Amino acid sequence: MATGKKYTAYGGQAVIEGVMMKGPEGQMAVACRRSNGEIVVKYENRLPLTKKYAFLGLPILRGVVAFLDSLVGGVKVLNYSAELYGEAADGEESLKDWQMFLAVILALFMGVGLFMVLPTVVLRFLPLQQLQSSLLRNLLEGCIRILFFFAYVTAVSYVDDIRRVFQYHGAEHKTIYCYEAKEPLTVANVRKYSTLHPRCGTNFLFIVMVVASLFFSLFGWPNLFIRVLSRLLLMPLVAGISYEVLRYMGKHAGENKIVDFFTKPGLWLQKLTTREPDDSQIEVAIRALQGVLPPEEVSNHV
């Protein structure tokens, strides 16, 4: 399949029956399709914290900020798309601010608990007497962490609504690839591109799990309480380092064979989190990306 030729700062997220796209200067557009076939686009322009406060744009720290911002923003746009979908279905109300805050905290604790804390707890019950090396124990914990993630994504992919979200995820990647290749943003052009993208959030999560395994191994293999506490306290640093790795890979994918080699596992994992979209889903993704492009670029990509 074809892939894009240049690095851009545009990215996005699949939502319920739609796609959210973000630009480098804080532009955001959420395009969703109603049950009557109409595409609704919501626009927002919010200066990123890393541009508002220069020190937050420093390497590693910017990764922590980006991770938290994507988590909070992701919950907001998911809530908006669910509200729009529910409006067409049964008039459900959107989450209040305090409910959204709790949703973010719950998502954060579930993610850290399931993929960072639980694997090290599981090792407590395995016979590791013959495995004295702390490095090997940490690497084994990392393998269990990846297996947990693989099992979780595989399980949710059988849910029909999630499968449609994964299709929109594929449409998001294809559309960005088409833009990066400087081709007009038409359904036919977008269709030929890959659903797998090196800057995907799935790649980020995979990198986090690998970096965590290597980073935690530097602190040996203390008792269970210290291990759990260290994993929790060091997660922001792990996220920041992983973000820098993802940026580097995203910039040099397709240009450097070593980078391509280390990018492959994350791309393989995306085969679980993306699906081939239909033309109507691609159309939604195109509208979302057009919503964050400068006007002169929109005219050049139609």
Side-chain angles (χ1 to χ4, degrees):
M1 287 187 179
T3 58
K5 299 299 183 184
K6 68 170 184 174
Y7 172 86
T8 71
Y10 292 95
Q13 171 188 331
V15 297
I16 299 172
E17 292 302 322
V19 171
M20 178 272 286
M21 292 286 191
K22 293 179 69 174
E25 302 302 323
Q27 320 95 297
M28 185 185 79
V30 187
C32 297
R33 189 180 293 278
R34 292 180 182 270
S35 58
N36 63 3
E38 175 191 6
I39 298 177
V40 179
V41 185
K42 177 183 178 181
Y43 303 95
E44 186 177 314
N45 199 341
R46 179 171 57 88
L47 189 66
L49 289 174
T50 52
K51 292 187 178 293
K52 188 180 296 186
Y53 305 103
F55 76 97
L56 292 179
L58 294 174
I60 297 182
L61 187 56
R62 63 189 174 188
V64 179
V65 174
F67 172 72
L68 293 175
D69 184 62
S70 65
L71 184 62
V72 174
V75 171
K76 285 183 177 180
V77 296
L78 277 171
N79 179 53
Y80 167 74
S81 64
E83 178 186 2
L84 197 65
Y85 183 76
E87 189 178 288
D90 52 20
E92 291 182 0
E93 295 183 357
S94 61
L95 294 176
K96 297 180 175 61
D97 287 343
W98 68 270
Q99 292 173 317
M100 195 171 300
F101 175 77
L102 287 179
V104 171
I105 296 299
L106 181 61
L108 186 59
F109 271 88
M110 284 184 64
V112 173
L114 181 60
F115 302 120
M116 290 296 153
V117 176
L118 188 56
T120 198
V121 173
V122 167
L123 283 180
R124 171 70 175 78
F125 302 98
L126 297 180
L128 301 179
Q129 293 84 357
Q130 304 302 318
L131 195 62
Q132 297 299 321
S133 169
S134 61
L135 174 60
L136 291 178
R137 289 190 177 197
N138 278 284
L139 292 178
L140 178 59
E141 178 191 331
C143 291
I144 294 174
R145 185 176 294 119
I146 293 171
L147 285 175
F148 276 19
F149 183 68
F150 180 86
Y152 171 79
V153 174
T154 301
V156 299
S157 68
Y158 286 99
V159 179
D160 288 341
D161 289 343
I162 299 297
R163 192 178 297 112
R164 285 195 61 80
V165 172
F166 287 174
Q167 285 182 283
Y168 278 107
H169 190 192
E172 173 222 330
H173 287 179
K174 283 174 170 284
T175 304
I176 290 175
Y177 264 138
C178 185
Y179 169 73
E180 290 173 337
K182 300 182 180 180
E183 287 203 67
L185 292 174
T186 65
V187 172
N189 284 340
V190 170
R191 165 63 62 192
K192 63 189 178 184
Y193 286 91
S194 173
T195 62
L196 313 179
H197 199 289
R199 294 199 314 276
C200 174
T202 306
N203 267 27
F204 174 73
L205 292 176
F206 181 78
I207 293 169
V208 163
M209 289 183 282
V210 173
V211 169
S213 300
L214 298 175
F215 194 67
F216 294 156
S217 67
L218 299 176
F219 298 89
W221 192 257
N223 63 60
L224 180 60
F225 175 77
I226 298 299
R227 288 207 312 276
V228 171
L229 183 62
S230 66
R231 271 93 176 121
L232 293 174
L233 294 178
L234 292 171
M235 267 312 298
L237 183 57
V238 169
I241 295 173
S242 301
Y243 179 80
E244 299 303 324
V245 173
L246 182 70
R247 279 174 60 94
Y248 184 85
M249 285 183 167
K251 287 183 177 180
H252 298 283
E255 302 173 356
N256 186 304
K257 290 183 178 180
I258 297 177
V259 170
D260 289 344
F261 175 79
F262 285 105
T263 301
K264 281 184 179 180
L267 294 176
W268 293 336
L269 199 56
Q270 286 179 50
K271 290 181 180 292
L272 293 175
T273 63
T274 63
R275 294 288 188 277
E276 280 294 334
D278 60 33
D279 289 352
S280 67
Q281 292 167 324
I282 291 175
E283 184 182 2
V284 171
I286 290 173
R287 289 285 299 276
L289 183 55
Q290 288 174 333
V292 297
L293 293 177
E296 63 276 13
E297 289 207 38
V298 174
S299 61
N300 291 334
H301 284 81
V302 295

